[in-house]
Amino acid sequence: MQPPQVNPASQVFEQVVDEQNNLQEIKAKQQLKEETITKEHEIRQRLSIEKNKAETLITDKYTNAIFNCTMKLDNAENLRLTQEEKDNLLTLLEQLKKERGENVALIEQQYNLKVADELMKWRAQREQELGINVQKIHQIDVQNSLERQQAEQKREAQYLQDRLQMLQARKKDSERLIILLHTKENEINLLKRSILKDIASKAMKIAIQKHLKLVIADVPATLDFFGNIKIDNFDDTVLNGMVVGADAIDITDDVMAELTNEQMQNNNGK
C-alpha cells in the first residue's frame, strides 16, 4: 500500500478552523445587527430634538399667515370681499400650505441623512472592532432603514391627505346645510305671506260688509333660523303707536269664521 500523499489530519484541522471562523463571524454579524438597531434609535432620539425645533419654527412661521387667510375667507361676506379678492386669498392659502409642507419635508430629509451618516461612521468603526467585513450587509441595512423611513413618511402623508379630504367633505356638507336652511326659510316666508294675504282678503271682505274704514292687524314678531327678529310686512308705527278709539270693533271672530268656512268647503270639495 502506498502512503497517503496528503495528511488528512491537517485537512480536518483546517475545516474545523474555517467552521469556527464562520461561526464567530456569524455571531459578530448578529451582534452588530442588534447593536446597529439600538444605535440608530439612540441617534434618532438625539437628533429628533433639533429636528422638532426646526419643524416648530417652520410651522409657527406659516401658522399665523394661514390663520389670517382662513379668517378672512370665513368672514368674506362681512368684509365685503369681491370674488377676485377671495380667489387671491385662496391662491395665497394654497401656496402657504405648499411651502410649509415642502419645508417640513426638507427638514425630515436632512434629518434622515444625518442619521444615516452618523450610523455609517459608527458602524464602520464597530466593524473594525469586531474584526469583520460586512460592508455589503451594512449598505443593505442602511438602505432598509431609509426604506422604512420613506414608508413611514408615505403613510403619514396619506393620513394627512385623508384627513384633509374628510375636512373638505365636512365643509361641503356644512355649506349644503346652510343652503338648505336658507331654502327652507324662503319656503316658510312664502307660506307666511300666502296666509297673511288670505287673512287680509277675508278682513277686506268683512270691512266692506261692515262699512269699516280701517282694519288694524297685530302680528307678533318672529325669529328666523339664525335668531334674527322679523316682522312680516307691517308698519311698526301702526303696530306700536296706533290708539284704538271707542268706536272700534273686533272682527277677529268674523275673520276666523270666514277662514273656517273656506277650510270646510275645501275639505268637502276633496
Side-chain angles (χ1 to χ4, degrees), residues 198 202 259-270:
D198 193 17
K202 300 299 185 293
L259 293 173
T260 302
N261 291 334
E262 183 180 10
Q263 182 65 34
M264 292 178 61
Q265 291 176 3
N266 293 335
N267 292 337
N268 292 333
K270 292 181 179 179

Side-chain angles (χ1 to χ4, degrees), residues 197-209 212 215 251 255 258:
K197 286 182 180 180
D198 193 17
I199 295 173
S201 66
K202 300 299 185 293
M204 181 175 64
K205 176 181 177 181
I206 295 171
I208 294 174
Q209 293 174 351
L212 302 177
V215 177
I251 63 171
V255 174
E258 288 287 336

Side-chain angles (χ1 to χ4, degrees), residues 156-209:
E156 183 177 357
Q158 185 63 44
Y159 169 78
L160 294 176
Q161 181 66 23
D162 294 342
R163 185 70 176 175
L164 178 60
Q165 291 177 354
M166 182 184 68
L167 293 175
Q168 291 175 344
R170 288 184 178 179
K171 183 178 180 181
K172 290 181 180 179
D173 291 340
S174 299
E175 292 174 350
R176 284 195 293 267
L177 179 59
I178 291 175
I179 293 174
L180 289 175
L181 290 176
H182 280 296
T183 303
K184 184 59 65 177
E185 182 185 14
N186 292 333
E187 292 177 358
I188 292 174
N189 289 335
L190 291 174
L191 179 60
K192 285 182 179 180
R193 292 192 185 98
S194 177
I195 294 173
L196 290 175
K197 286 182 180 180
D198 193 17
I199 295 173
S201 66
K202 300 299 185 293
M204 181 175 64
K205 176 181 177 181
I206 295 171
I208 294 174
Q209 293 174 351

Side-chain angles (χ1 to χ4, degrees), residues 71-85:
M71 289 296 294
K72 288 181 180 179
L73 288 172
D74 291 342
N75 295 276
E77 183 175 354
N78 295 332
L79 296 175
R80 298 181 179 178
L81 298 180
T82 63
Q83 185 61 43
E84 182 179 358
E85 290 174 333

Side-chain angles (χ1 to χ4, degrees), residues 36-37 40-41 43-44 47 105-120 123 137-155:
T36 300
I37 296 174
E40 180 182 354
H41 179 72
I43 294 174
R44 289 191 176 277
L47 295 181
L106 180 60
I107 292 173
E108 186 71 24
Q109 181 181 7
Q110 293 174 347
Y111 164 73
N112 289 327
L113 289 175
K114 288 182 180 180
V115 171
D117 184 59
E118 286 197 21
L119 190 62
M120 290 177 65
R123 183 154 178 168
I137 299 177
H138 167 55
Q139 292 176 352
I140 295 175
D141 289 342
V142 172
Q143 181 65 29
N144 291 338
S145 176
L146 291 177
E147 289 177 356
R148 289 196 301 270
Q149 292 302 314
Q150 291 174 358
E152 183 65 26
Q153 292 176 12
K154 185 177 180 180
R155 286 193 296 269

